[in-house]
Amino acid sequence: LPERDRTELKRRKLLLEVTLKSYWIRKGSAFSTALTRQETELTPEMIATGSWRQLPFKPYNFLALGLPPACGHLHPLLKVRSQLRQIFLEMG
């Protein structure tokens, strides 16, 4: 349809434009019907036997954040204060 007719029909709500998406799916080079678990760590046994050469390894994510650091220690005076509070809570 010409652009002018199409806008007129849309304005009168006689035309509804729909976008259809389609995909072509083909077998890739790593296609397999069996599920195999990828290895995440290289162990000394793998190195000793040489089996690491045939195993698929999971790629590392170097952008991942590590574990948050553990909290610091209490100041010695604060530690004494918390122990005194524990004593008074047990007595009272």
Side-chain angles (χ1 to χ4, degrees), residues 16-62:
L16 177 65
E17 283 189 287
V18 177
T19 303
L20 296 176
K21 292 184 181 181
S22 61
Y23 298 95
W24 291 94
I25 300 173
R26 290 183 242 145
K27 294 179 184 178
S29 61
F31 175 79
S32 174
T33 56
L35 292 176
T36 56
R37 189 168 167 258
Q38 292 181 332
E39 296 293 327
T40 56
E41 294 182 8
L42 182 64
T43 62
E45 292 83 23
M46 288 180 195
I47 295 172
T49 60
S51 64
W52 63 272
R53 290 185 178 99
Q54 288 82 25
L55 294 173
F57 283 91
K58 188 175 180 179
Y60 282 104
N61 182 3
F62 292 106

Side-chain angles (χ1 to χ4, degrees), residues 73-86:
H73 299 285
L74 281 176
H75 188 275
L77 292 176
L78 293 176
K79 197 181 289 188
V80 170
R81 185 175 74 178
S82 66
Q83 288 174 354
L84 285 174
R85 283 188 181 162
Q86 285 277 349

